[in-house]
């Protein structure tokens, strides 16, 4: 039975490799533009359903580019820019586009000089000989020609989107995908690190997979094992060892996931996800209390066993509920492909259906056993003797 627990650990490693590995097929390759316009290079950006296409013309030192933001609406603005000082908002030389109240798509340049920019048209530190934008089929595309100096050909890139109200561009949100919309770009070599292949994104994926498998799968599985297997006398003490194996594996893997979260937090000053962080700390504390509870577990006939059971079950079910809540909080922060969230929802449905069936079967066994114990001699007649 312990093999099943280790199979789930192996499954987590497989899932981790799938999440951590960049996809070889890029969507941008199949995208087309009006008048059959083509670009030499393109990359799928890692957040906000965005894509960058460009061609560097070394003869005149210009970059011809197109930034495409899909799945947006006419009531939201889109922006892309480069920042020679690093992958941050302040210092970004940006191209911005939005649809005004007259239904006309406008594009302008703006230099971001504070954490709360007004997004008003300003000149950039380099020339932009051509700039335009189109909005159709829920896609905003910004076209531009940039005359970039050689020392900015390899630089950081940032892209964003936010709401528009009465032709006024409102601030974007500061969580989820809006915090992931940054990377690097080399216009000369065609290399880009704005996709999910950078090390920080891999660490985020590691953190997500470890915690999903440990707190979100192994923990509920261990609880199901303890609740339903111990009803059968033949499963004693196998159910206990399997329960300990599941919960111990979950705790060890979960602590590793928690540690990666702490590291991610220390590497991202100024960025906090308070609900996710708070629940994570509570889970770590509750999980540690459960480990100590195992060491202090009294015998079945001990006078304090009832109180220990109440404590153990209360903390255990609290961990499961909080784990599921925090995993979905993590999905909102990581913003992975929808299939990963659907896979986890499918696992929860499977575990819930299995628990429901086992609950019904367990009650059937318990009720039947009570009836048998209440009338142990019923098969030999009312008084325990045959009727001749």
């Amino acid at each position: 039975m312990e093999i099943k627990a280790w199979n789930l650990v192996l499954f987590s490693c497989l899932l981790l490799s799938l999440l951590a590995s960049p996809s070889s097929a890029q969507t941008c390759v199949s995208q087309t533009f009006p008048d059959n316009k083509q670009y030499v290079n393109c990359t799928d950006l890692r957040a906000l359903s965005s894509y960058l296409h460009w061609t560097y013309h070394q003869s005149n030192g210009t970059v011809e580019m197109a930034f495409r933001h899909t799945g947006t609406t006419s009531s939201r603005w889109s922006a892309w820019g480069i920042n020679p000082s690093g992958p941050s908002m302040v210092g970004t030389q940006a191209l911005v586009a939005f649809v005004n109240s007259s239904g006309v798509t406008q594009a302008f340049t703006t230099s971001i000089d504070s954490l709360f920019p007004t997004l008003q048209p300003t000149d950039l530190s380099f020339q932009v000989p051509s700039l335009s934008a189109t909005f159709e089929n829920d896609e905003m595309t910004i076209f531009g020609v940039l005359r970039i100096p050689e020392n900015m050909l390899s630089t950081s890139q940032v892209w964003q989107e936010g709401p528009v109200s009465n032709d006024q561009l409102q601030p974007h949100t500061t969580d989820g995908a809006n915090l992931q919309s940054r990377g690097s770009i080399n216009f000369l070599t065609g290399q880009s690190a704005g996709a999910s292949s950078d090390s920080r994104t891999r660490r985020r994926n590691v953190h997500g997979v470890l915690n999903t498998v440990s707190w979100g799968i192994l923990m509920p599985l261990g609880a199901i094992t303890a609740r339903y297997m111990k009803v059968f006398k033949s499963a004693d003490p196998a159910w206990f060892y399997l329960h300990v194996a599941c919960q111990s594996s979950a705790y060890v893997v979960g602590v590793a996931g928690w540690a990666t979260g702490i590291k991610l937090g220390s590497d991202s000053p100024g960025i906090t996800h308070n609900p996710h962080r708070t629940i994570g700390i509570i889970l770590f504390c509750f999980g540690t209390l459960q480990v100590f509870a195992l060491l202090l577990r009294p015998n079945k006939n001990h006078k304090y066993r009832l109180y220990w059971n109440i404590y153990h079950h209360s903390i255990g079910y609290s961990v499961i509920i909080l784990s599921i809540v925090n995993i979905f909080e993590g999905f909102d922060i990581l913003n992975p492909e929808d299939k990963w969230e659907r896979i986890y929802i499918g696992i929860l449905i499977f575990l819930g259906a299995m628990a429901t069936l086992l609950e019904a079967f367990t009650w059937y066994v318990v009720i039947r056993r009570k009836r048998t114990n209440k009338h142990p001699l019923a098969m030999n007649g009312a008084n325990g003797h045959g009727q001749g």
Side-chain angles (χ1 to χ4, degrees), residues 84-164:
S85 62
S88 60
M89 182 169 65
V90 178
T92 297
Q93 307 295 294
L95 313 179
V96 186
F98 73 102
V99 179
N100 63 25
S101 56
S102 300
V104 178
T105 304
Q106 291 184 227
F108 62 90
T109 62
T110 186
S111 180
I112 310 298
D113 55 5
S114 71
L115 291 175
F116 304 98
T118 58
L119 293 179
Q120 296 299 314
T122 60
D123 293 333
L124 303 185
S125 61
F126 51 84
Q127 296 179 353
V128 182
S130 175
L131 180 63
S132 62
T134 62
F135 178 81
E136 55 184 17
N137 300 323
D138 296 330
E139 295 183 356
M140 180 69 78
T141 306
I142 302 176
F143 299 93
V145 176
L146 318 177
R147 185 165 283 114
I148 299 178
E150 290 187 4
N151 63 343
M152 293 176 63
L153 288 177
S154 179
T155 186
S156 299
Q157 62 173 331
V158 180
W159 60 100
Q160 273 299 345
E161 64 92 33
V164 178

Side-chain angles (χ1 to χ4, degrees), residues 25 35 37 42 46 54 65 95 103 132 154 187 197 222 236 298 369 384-385 388:
D35 301 324
K37 177 65 179 177
C42 77
R46 70 174 173 214
W54 77 94
M65 51 77 60
L95 313 179
S132 62
S154 179
F187 294 109
S197 57
D236 192 15
R369 185 178 296 165
H385 299 281

Side-chain angles (χ1 to χ4, degrees), residues 2 67-68 70 92 128 144 169 182 192 198-199 207 213 237 271 301 310 384:
E2 293 183 11
F67 169 74
R68 173 169 283 174
T70 64
T92 297
V128 182
L169 278 60
R182 56 187 178 179
S192 171
D198 64 43
S199 60
H207 171 71
V213 172
I271 299 176
N301 299 323
I310 294 173

Side-chain angles (χ1 to χ4, degrees), residues 62-79:
T62 61
V63 174
E64 194 173 0
M65 51 77 60
F67 169 74
R68 173 169 283 174
H69 177 205
T70 64
T72 186
T73 68
S74 59
S75 61
R76 302 190 71 80
W77 55 266
S78 302

Side-chain angles (χ1 to χ4, degrees), residues 11 20 25 34 57 67 92 98 110 119 122 160 192 205 208 211 217 246 340 347 353 362 380:
F11 167 76
H57 301 284
F67 169 74
T92 297
F98 73 102
T110 186
L119 293 179
T122 60
Q160 273 299 345
S192 171
N205 289 338
N211 285 292
I217 298 178
C246 282
W340 298 113
I347 292 173
T362 300
N380 293 324

